[in-house]
């Protein structure tokens, strides 16, 4: 069984941690120190009473590496739960992006029309710019940004992925 | 004395340490920890060993921990005091040694200001500790110390650092006893019974089994070592140990094949290569052990017992894993085995053993003796023969002498062998021996050393003399960084780039300068007398044995090679095949 499965997989991992100083540095340090990939990482407090934060990490690696990543995360003392959403049943994931488009004339009209198709909201407007708020799965956000490129794309800010399992079960 | 609920931080700290069973602290003072040292001055329950360099304090605490099974304790000041502990902490992390290291810090109001002797030590040591804390409120101090000890000793042990700003140790607060502190950190100790049942199925079918034992069994404690010994004797399986696992199974038992890996025995490595079932108990498939991973034990099914899930399937994929503490799992394994009245395939086992005996008869640790020059292996054989009745504690530095010590000493018990395995820290052995001697004042404690490694922490001779710790430093002085020279000879075309130190101190005079005893042997005939005298004196000793400078350590698996491609000695033809550095064992 020494054969190593080499195929690279993408996994979304949810991590429940104590919301204490340094915990994010521990997680990020683990990834950089051991040479793991981070495609996206988000973090925020989710339980004020117990002072717990939830980190969502999108990472890539071979099966063996992804298993290592989860076990290494579990080893950190302030980590309470690690769940691989990609393999533990269905899950939903979303990202929010703020997309600034600076243009006039026909391009400006076209940008608005595409925003409408993507159900993006205009949350700031001037005579020569819009800021759109777009929410969706990563590929939808990617597509929106790509379409804005020829239309005066000026600036992008993305939250990274948040994800949760479908159905009644909790982390 | 201050009232119970208005202790100052320093008092709280010392009380917490006493409640955690600490008897000895290895440390070095400085501005940020002066309030703690002041409190220490007023008490006599905690003994303080004043080292000469903070790195040595950590290694001493490691030696203390490894020879007692308790948590070692270190106290140093902020800034340079703290940064000097980094090598020791990394060493303890790699070898899974339980420690609590307390560092002073600038007052909380100055943190982040580049204050005098400020270092972000929790940031610096995050990757080289199991966990670390910065205490900002004196009312959390006791709780944090108790939790630090709990984390250090539970699950896979490791070093924990607690950073204490000066204002926190000076302000008043409330003490909490350990019983009032509940930690959320609870690693799994019991193994899954279904997996254990499955392990018994696999073991029952084995025809060419081997037990591969690592430091985890020693981490688990003497009970685990006893259970392991019981299991091995009950099954009659061959048992090999890693560098870290030496002593977990009695070295002189005929079932023991000695150490495996890069400098392991011929029989251990070939048995690993040829086995059909490998039972790994508390070992981590280190690259010094596996050699080229894609040629590692190619015909085997593998069972892995380990307390740390991240050790499983990290380097080598296994067929069955049992996560938990070795003692708990071995106990259940033996129970299930007995209940099932398993019958082994005796005929197959007998054939397997006769194959192994064939390999053993090659006598791979044999060396050319000489009556002119001291062979390092000879010196160690004599040291072993002349001291074994005293059941000595052995520490080592790093290099050839370390490997020869691992090959030629036999350890019958755990906790008597302390060596830097994972990090390979030159300068580890002398301070580690200091820690061992502190814990066992009447025991014979020997640091098997090389002349280069010795010079990395030789200042600690002064600590030994001050605290009357009669450690024996047994230097195999080959005038070279021998292990580096060996690699240069075998792999880098004999270009001995910077591996020879042209100047060494006169170690006998050096001993004298410290107030220790210096001894020297220059020919084989002088070795026995030197050893006897070394044991007889009740003071620290530096013994300088002038050994053969050109001797190499064999057997050796060259970088990138497999277990069945061992080089047995200088006359071995396979030496001509160059190794590759692609896969494992690439560092000296
Ligand atoms: C110059 C040099 C040469 C070396 N050559 C060799 C060599 O030839 N052969 C060799 O073996 N080594 C050699 N080493 C040492 C090597 O680098 C590793 O340190 C060593 O092989 C690791 O030993 P181990 O697998 O027993 O793991 P350890 O580092 O001892 O790790 C212990 C394992 O047990 C687990 N564990 C901890 N506690 C428990 C518990 N309670 N219950 C169950 N499991 C537990 C841990 O999670 C871990 O996986 C050499 C080192 C140097 C410096
Ligand atoms: C701190 C540190 N620096 C460098 C090394 C690399 N290294 C490994 S063995 C060795 C030589 C050790 O020489 P010596 O102590 O004389 O032992 P010998 O091999 O000669 O027995 C060196 C430099 C190391 N292991 N540790
Ligand atoms: Mg040397």
């Amino acid at each position: 069984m020494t054969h190593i499965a080499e195929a690279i997989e993408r996994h979304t991992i949810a991590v429940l941690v104590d919301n204490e100083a340094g915990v994010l540095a521990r997680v990020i340090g683990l990834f950089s120190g051991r040479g793991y990939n981070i495609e996206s990482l988000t973090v925020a407090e989710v339980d004020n009473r117990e002072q717990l934060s939830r980190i969502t990490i999108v990472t890539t690696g071979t099966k063996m590496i992804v298993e290592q990543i989860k076990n290494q995360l579990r080893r950190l003392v302030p980590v309470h739960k690690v769940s691989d959403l990609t393999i533990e049943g269905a899950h939903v994931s979303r990202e929010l992006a703020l997309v600034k488009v600076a243009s006039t004339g026909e391009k400006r009209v076209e940008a608005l029309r595409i925003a409408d198709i993507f159900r993006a909201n205009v949350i700031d407007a001037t005579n020569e710019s819009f800021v759109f708020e777009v929410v969706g799965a990563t590929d939808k956000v990617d597509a929106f940004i790509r379409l804005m490129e020829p239309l005066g794309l000026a600036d992008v800010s993305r939250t990274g992925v948040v994800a949760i399992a479908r159905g009644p079960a909790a982390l | 004395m201050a009232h119970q609920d208005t202790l100052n931080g320093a008092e709280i700290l010392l009380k917490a340490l006493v409640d955690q069973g600490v008897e000895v602290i290895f440390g070095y003072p400085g501005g940020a920890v002066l309030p703690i040292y002041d409190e220490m001055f007023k008490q006599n329950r905690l003994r303080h060993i004043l080292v000469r360099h903070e790195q040595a304090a950590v290694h001493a605490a490691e030696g203390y921990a490894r020879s007692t099974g308790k948590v070692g304790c270190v106290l140093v000041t902020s800034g340079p005091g703290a940064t000097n502990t980094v090598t020791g902490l990394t060493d303890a992390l790699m070898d899974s040694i339980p420690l609590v290291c307390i560092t002073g810090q600038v007052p909380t109001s100055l943190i982040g200001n580049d204050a005098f002797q400020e270092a972000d030590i929790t940031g610096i040591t995050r990757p080289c500790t199991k966990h670390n804390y910065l205490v900002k409120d004196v009312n959390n101090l006791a709780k944090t110390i108790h939790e630090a000890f709990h984390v250090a000793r539970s699950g896979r042990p490791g070093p924990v650092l607690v950073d204490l700003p000066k204002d926190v140790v000076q302000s008043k607060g409330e003490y909490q006893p350990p019983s009032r502190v509940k930690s959320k950190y609870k690693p799994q100790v019991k193994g899954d019974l279904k997996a254990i049942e499955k392990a018994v199925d696999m073991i029952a079918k084995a025809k060419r089994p081997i037990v591969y034992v690592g430091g985890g069994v020693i981490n688990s404690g003497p009970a685990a070592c006893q259970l392991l010994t019981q299991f091995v004797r009950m099954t009659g399986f061959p048992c090999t140990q890693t560098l870290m696992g030496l002593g977990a199974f009695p070295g002189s038992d005929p079932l023991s094949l000695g150490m495996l890996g890069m400098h392991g025995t011929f029989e251990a490595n070939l048995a690993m290569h040829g086995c059909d079932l490998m039972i790994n108990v508390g070992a981590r498939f280190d690259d010094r052990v596996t050699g080229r991973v894609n040629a590692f034990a190619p015909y085997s099914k593998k069972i892995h017992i380990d307390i740390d899930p991240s050790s499983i399937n990290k380097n080598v994929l296994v067929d069955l894993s049992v996560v938990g503490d070795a003692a708990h799992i071995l106990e259940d394994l033996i129970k299930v085995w007995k209940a099932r009245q398993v019958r082994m395939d005796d005929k197959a086992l007998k054939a397997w053993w006769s194959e192994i005996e064939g390999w053993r008869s090659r006598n791979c640790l044999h060396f050319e003796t000489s009556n002119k020059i001291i062979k390092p292996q000879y010196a160690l054989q004599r040291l072993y023969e002349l001291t074994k009745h005293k059941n000595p504690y052995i520490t080592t530095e790093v290099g050839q002498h370390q490997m020869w010590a691992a090959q030629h000493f036999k350890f019958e018990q755990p906790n008597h062998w302390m060596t830097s395995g994972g990090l390979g820290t030159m300068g580890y052995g002398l301070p580690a021996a200091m820690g061992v001697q502190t814990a066992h004042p009447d025991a014979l404690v020997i640091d098997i050393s090389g002349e280069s490694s010795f010079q990395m922490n030789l200042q600690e001779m002064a600590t030994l003399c001050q605290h009357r710790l009669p450690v024996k430093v047994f230097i195999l002085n080959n005038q070279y960084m021998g292990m580096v020279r060996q690699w240069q000879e075998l792999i880098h075309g004999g270009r001995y780039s910077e591996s020879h130190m042209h100047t060494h101190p006169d170690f006998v005079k050096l001993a004298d300068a410290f107030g220790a005893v210096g001894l020297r042997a220059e020919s084989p005939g002088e070795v026995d007398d030197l050893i006897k005298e070394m044991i007889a004196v009740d003071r620290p000793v530096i013994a300088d044995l002038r050994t053969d400078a050109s001797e190499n350590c064999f057997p050796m698996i060259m970088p990138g090679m497999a277990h069945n491609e061992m080089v047995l000695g200088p006359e071995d033809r396979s030496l001509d095949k160059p190794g590759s550095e692609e896969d494992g064992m690439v560092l000296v």
Side-chain angles (χ1 to χ4, degrees):
Chain A
M1 266 197 60
T2 28
H3 183 75
I4 297 167
E6 289 292 355
I8 302 284
E9 304 172 355
R10 170 177 289 109
H11 287 241
T12 304
I13 298 169
V15 190
L16 208 57
V17 302
D18 284 326
N19 182 14
E20 63 182 30
V23 66
L24 191 58
R26 274 178 220 287
V27 170
I28 291 172
L30 178 77
F31 277 73
S32 63
R34 292 187 183 266
Y36 306 145
N37 298 316
I38 300 183
E39 292 211 336
S40 154
L41 185 146
T42 64
V43 58
E45 186 172 82
V46 290
D47 184 334
N48 183 262
R49 216 163 15 96
E50 298 280 321
Q51 302 218 340
L52 294 174
S53 290
R54 180 169 172 136
I55 302 177
T56 309
I57 303 169
V58 181
T59 183
T60 56
T62 61
K63 248 198 183 61
M64 211 162 152
I65 298 271
V66 174
E67 190 186 325
Q68 263 298 300
I69 291 175
K70 289 182 278 183
N71 284 329
Q72 291 291 350
L73 284 167
R74 288 188 183 109
R75 227 152 79 106
L76 299 178
V77 173
V79 167
H80 297 295
K81 193 122 203 243
V82 176
S83 165
D84 187 341
L85 297 173
T86 303
I87 59 173
E88 291 165 17
H91 70 282
V92 285
S93 68
R94 287 291 178 270
E95 235 193 297
L96 182 147
L98 302 179
V99 180
K100 184 177 289 183
V101 178
S103 52
T104 51
E106 190 49 39
K107 285 188 172 170
R108 189 170 157 84
V109 178
E110 178 66 7
L112 260 188
R113 203 165 44 224
I114 292 173
D116 196 40
I117 297 169
F118 278 79
R119 286 192 216 124
N121 296 322
V122 176
I123 56 171
D124 178 68
T126 66
N127 284 336
E128 64 262 64
S129 70
F130 288 121
V131 174
F132 297 109
E133 169 203 68
V134 60
V135 177
T138 299
D139 49 357
K140 173 180 163 184
V141 175
D142 286 345
F144 181 74
I145 293 168
R146 217 171 26 245
L147 287 172
M148 287 300 148
E149 247 164 45
L151 303 177
L153 181 71
D155 208 0
V156 179
S157 177
R158 294 171 77 148
T159 57
V161 174
V162 292
I164 203 160
R166 289 185 185 270
L171 184 62
Chain B
M1 259 310 255
H3 187 262
Q4 168 72 25
D5 51 8
T6 59
L7 300 178
N8 69 41
E11 290 173 294
I12 292 176
L13 170 67
L14 297 191
K15 197 167 159 59
L17 295 180
V18 169
D19 281 353
Q20 284 297 332
V22 175
E23 289 162 349
V24 189
I25 300 176
F26 301 91
Y28 205 96
V33 287
L34 283 184
I36 301 173
Y37 274 89
D38 200 36
E39 233 23 85
M40 197 125 65
F41 192 79
K42 302 176 194 161
Q43 58 86 49
N44 55 13
R45 297 180 68 180
L46 292 164
R47 184 171 174 211
H48 184 270
I49 302 288
L50 176 61
V51 297
R52 300 305 192 259
H53 187 297
E54 290 88 350
Q55 181 192 349
V58 186
H59 294 322
E62 285 187 90
Y64 179 91
R66 289 176 74 163
S67 67
T68 60
K70 293 194 221 162
V71 180
C73 188
V74 176
L75 171 61
V76 298
T77 193
S78 68
T83 55
N84 270 349
T85 65
V86 168
T87 301
L89 293 170
T90 311
D91 191 89
L93 184 75
M94 293 289 275
D95 284 347
S96 305
I97 309 302
L99 295 186
V100 171
C101 175
I102 293 152
T103 51
Q105 182 55 280
V106 300
T108 40
S109 59
L110 290 182
I111 289 179
N113 284 16
D114 298 328
F116 178 64
Q117 295 197 329
E118 177 181 1
D120 172 15
I121 200 64
T122 47
I124 290 170
T125 62
R126 211 169 273 136
C128 67
T129 52
K130 181 174 174 186
H131 194 52
N132 62 23
Y133 303 86
L134 169 64
V135 182
K136 286 189 159 168
D137 177 349
V138 67
N139 291 309
N140 288 336
L141 175 55
K143 171 178 168 279
T144 307
I145 297 293
H146 297 318
E147 191 171 306
F149 276 83
H150 171 72
V151 169
R153 71 165 80 89
S154 311
R156 180 176 183 170
V160 177
L161 181 139
V162 185
D163 200 20
L164 298 182
K166 191 167 183 179
D167 56 321
V168 171
V169 285
Q170 285 175 311
S171 46
K172 304 225 171 206
E174 200 191 336
Y175 182 74
Q176 286 171 291
S179 55
R180 284 212 356 240
V181 178
K182 292 236 162 8
S183 176
K184 288 190 240 167
Y185 180 71
K186 288 193 205 80
Q188 177 180 346
V189 290
K190 283 290 266 185
D192 173 22
L193 257 181
K194 276 209 207 83
I196 293 171
E197 298 262 358
K198 225 166 139 194
V200 172
D201 291 340
M202 288 166 76
I203 294 168
K205 282 193 218 120
K207 294 186 192 308
R208 297 190 311 277
I210 187 161
V211 184
Y212 152 41
V213 175
V217 179
I218 291 171
N219 282 137
S220 178
C225 299
Q226 247 163 35
L227 288 161
L228 175 91
T229 305
Q230 186 186 344
F231 172 75
V232 172
R233 288 184 177 157
M234 191 174 89
T235 54
F237 289 177
C239 174
T240 178
Q241 305 93 41
T242 67
L243 184 73
M244 297 296 293
L246 295 174
F249 183 78
S252 62
D253 189 302
L255 297 173
S256 171
L257 306 185
M259 185 171 80
L260 78 163
M262 181 178 249
H263 291 291
T265 66
F266 189 61
E267 53 271 28
N269 285 335
L270 285 189
M272 284 292 275
H273 191 78
C275 72
D276 71 344
L277 178 72
M278 176 188 302
I279 308 163
N280 170 339
V281 194
R284 58 184 173 85
F285 293 109
D286 183 82
D287 53 77
R288 291 256 156 169
V289 163
T290 59
R292 194 167 76 239
V293 256
N294 62 11
F296 174 67
Y299 320 108
S300 69
K301 292 243 182 266
K302 301 176 191 74
I303 299 173
H304 190 179
I305 297 172
D306 201 295
I307 203 160
D308 180 353
S310 80
S311 283
I312 289 163
N313 293 340
K314 179 165 67 179
N315 305 326
V316 170
L317 282 173
V318 297
D319 300 272
L320 176 71
S321 62
V322 193
V323 173
D325 169 58
H328 285 84
I329 294 169
L330 285 165
E331 193 180 0
D332 286 342
L333 189 66
I334 293 170
K335 242 188 245 158
V336 174
W337 179 275
K338 283 190 175 155
R340 291 231 213 131
Q341 300 187 314
V342 178
R343 298 269 318 260
M344 294 290 308
D345 184 342
D346 289 336
K347 226 174 102 195
L349 259 184
K350 217 169 142 204
W352 176 227
W353 265 112
S354 78
E355 210 173 335
I356 292 173
E357 291 303 346
W359 295 323
R360 180 135 69 183
S361 68
R362 286 287 289 269
N363 196 12
C364 68
L365 299 180
H366 170 79
F367 56 92
E368 294 300 324
T369 46
S370 157
N371 50 20
K372 287 206 194 67
I373 190 156
I374 303 175
K375 291 284 178 179
Q377 303 97 320
Y378 170 77
L380 288 174
Q381 276 187 349
R382 294 313 300 155
L383 183 68
Y384 174 61
E385 291 301 332
L386 294 173
T387 61
K388 64 181 179 192
H389 63 286
K390 289 185 167 276
N391 199 9
Y393 291 86
I394 304 292
T395 72
T396 77
E397 307 292 342
V398 172
Q400 290 178 319
H401 62 276
Q402 174 190 28
M403 292 299 110
W404 282 316
Q407 293 174 339
H408 292 278
F409 264 74
K410 290 189 171 59
F411 295 95
E412 308 303 320
Q413 287 176 340
N415 307 103
H416 282 64
W417 164 249
M418 273 71 41
T419 193
S420 172
L423 196 63
T425 311
M426 290 169 70
Y428 165 88
L430 174 57
M434 205 158 85
V436 174
Q437 189 83 74
T438 307
H440 310 276
D442 300 324
L444 175 60
V445 183
I446 305 169
D447 169 29
I448 295 175
S449 184
E451 78 299 328
S452 309
S453 294
F454 173 65
Q455 293 179 66
M456 286 237 171
N457 266 323
L458 68 81
Q459 76 287 345
E460 297 309 318
M461 288 306 299
T463 311
L464 295 180
C465 291
Q466 174 177 343
H467 294 278
R468 297 181 189 284
L469 300 168
V471 166
K472 320 298 179 197
V473 184
F474 192 77
I475 303 177
L476 297 177
N477 183 351
N478 54 8
Q479 308 279 321
Y480 271 98
M481 298 175 195
M483 188 56 95
V484 173
R485 193 202 51 72
Q486 173 166 349
W487 280 52
Q488 289 173 331
E489 179 184 332
L490 302 180
I491 301 167
H492 297 279
R495 293 176 293 280
Y496 300 119
S497 178
E498 303 296 325
S499 55
H500 185 226
M501 290 182 185
H502 297 268
T503 315
H504 286 294
D506 179 328
F507 292 118
V508 172
K509 282 190 188 153
L510 186 69
D512 200 39
F514 278 111
V517 176
L519 304 171
R520 176 167 296 131
E522 282 168 320
S523 67
E526 296 166 0
V527 170
D528 277 21
D529 286 345
L530 177 140
I531 294 171
K532 285 180 197 150
E533 194 176 343
M534 178 180 94
I535 305 171
V537 288
D538 189 25
R539 280 164 56 199
V541 174
I542 303 178
D544 178 18
L545 290 93
R546 298 303 178 88
T547 58
D548 187 347
S550 62
E551 192 69 25
N552 286 332
C553 182
F554 292 111
M556 178 174 184
I557 302 175
M558 301 299 281
M561 299 305 230
H563 278 169
N564 60 340
E565 300 170 316
M566 237 169 309
V567 178
L568 280 176
E571 64 290 340
D572 193 329
R573 285 259 239 15
S574 40
L575 250 184
D576 304 336
K577 280 191 280 176
S580 96
E581 301 216 337
E582 269 166 31
D583 209 356
M585 301 206 299
V586 294
L587 302 178
V588 57

